[in-house]
Amino acid sequence: NVILAFLFLFGLAFLIQEKWEIGGAAHFAAFLVSLCWIYCAALLRCMGMGGAVWYAGIAGLLVLYGRRHGAKKAWLRFRAFAGSMPSIFYTAGSALFFVALAYHQPVFSTWDEFSFWGVAAKITSVTDELYLFQPGAYLNAVTPPAVTPPGVILIGYLFQFWNAEFMPWQHYA
């Protein structure tokens, strides 16, 4: 499931690069666009639909790109993008982290001294709703969601969108 999310994020980076030609920043831009998308969905309390639209939207845009430019030309451009140095660095770094975390499979309670965000990530993934909206949430009384944007938790949600159960080590990946 993490690999699937990575591939979709990579596809979004490709589309951003093709549209705006921003070079190595395309991967970072795709990450930020995804974060903003799921954050808006979280504030509207429709994270499940937001995640599904994120995956379907990227797939649809990639198909549309392939039809508009021709499958062969689109594939050649994608290969050129995937073979660029920023893409190789991004892929190699992501693969290294994924393999290390898959091997060790850390959990929040034993691997991270800041265990609150681990609980918040689990609540968000299990309920398909931002943890701040849960009854009795600790931060709910202290700060509104707009003041404390939970970026890591929301990106982790996108990466675990298709999981049947919450897996802490995939959240780290």
Side-chain angles (χ1 to χ4, degrees):
N1 297 326
V2 172
I3 294 171
L4 180 67
F6 171 78
L7 292 174
F8 274 82
L9 199 59
F10 197 89
L12 181 58
F14 168 70
L15 293 170
I16 289 172
Q17 172 60 24
E18 288 295 303
K19 177 70 175 166
W20 290 288
E21 298 181 9
I22 57 175
H27 295 285
F28 186 65
F31 187 81
L32 291 178
V33 165
S34 301
L35 178 60
C36 289
W37 175 263
I38 199 65
Y39 187 54
C40 288
L43 291 178
L44 294 172
R45 293 183 148 189
C46 58
M47 285 181 67
M49 187 184 348
V53 169
W54 184 80
Y55 280 99
I58 293 171
L61 288 172
L62 286 169
V63 168
L64 183 65
Y65 180 85
R67 288 188 179 201
R68 179 174 289 166
H69 295 285
K72 187 171 185 168
K73 184 179 177 185
W75 177 247
L76 291 174
R77 291 181 73 103
F78 182 78
R79 282 184 47 199
F81 174 74
S84 68
M85 204 50 139
S87 292
I88 290 171
F89 181 73
Y90 173 75
T91 305
S94 298
L96 178 68
F97 275 101
F98 179 75
V99 168
L101 291 168
Y103 177 75
H104 292 290
Q105 294 196 0
V107 293
F108 296 125
S109 60
T110 59
W111 210 59
D112 191 355
E113 65 275 9
F114 302 108
S115 59
F116 170 75
W117 78 271
V119 174
K122 184 173 184 177
I123 290 170
T124 299
S125 291
V126 170
T127 63
D128 286 334
E129 192 172 63
L130 195 56
Y131 66 93
L132 294 170
F133 295 130
Q134 298 301 316
Y138 171 71
L139 288 178
N140 202 12
V142 181
T143 55
V147 176
T148 57
V152 174
I153 292 167
L154 294 175
I155 289 296
Y157 175 82
L158 276 179
F159 273 67
Q160 293 205 35
F161 185 74
W162 300 108
N163 284 1
E165 63 183 53
F166 180 76
M167 297 179 183
W169 72 271
Q170 286 187 0
H171 202 81
Y172 282 116

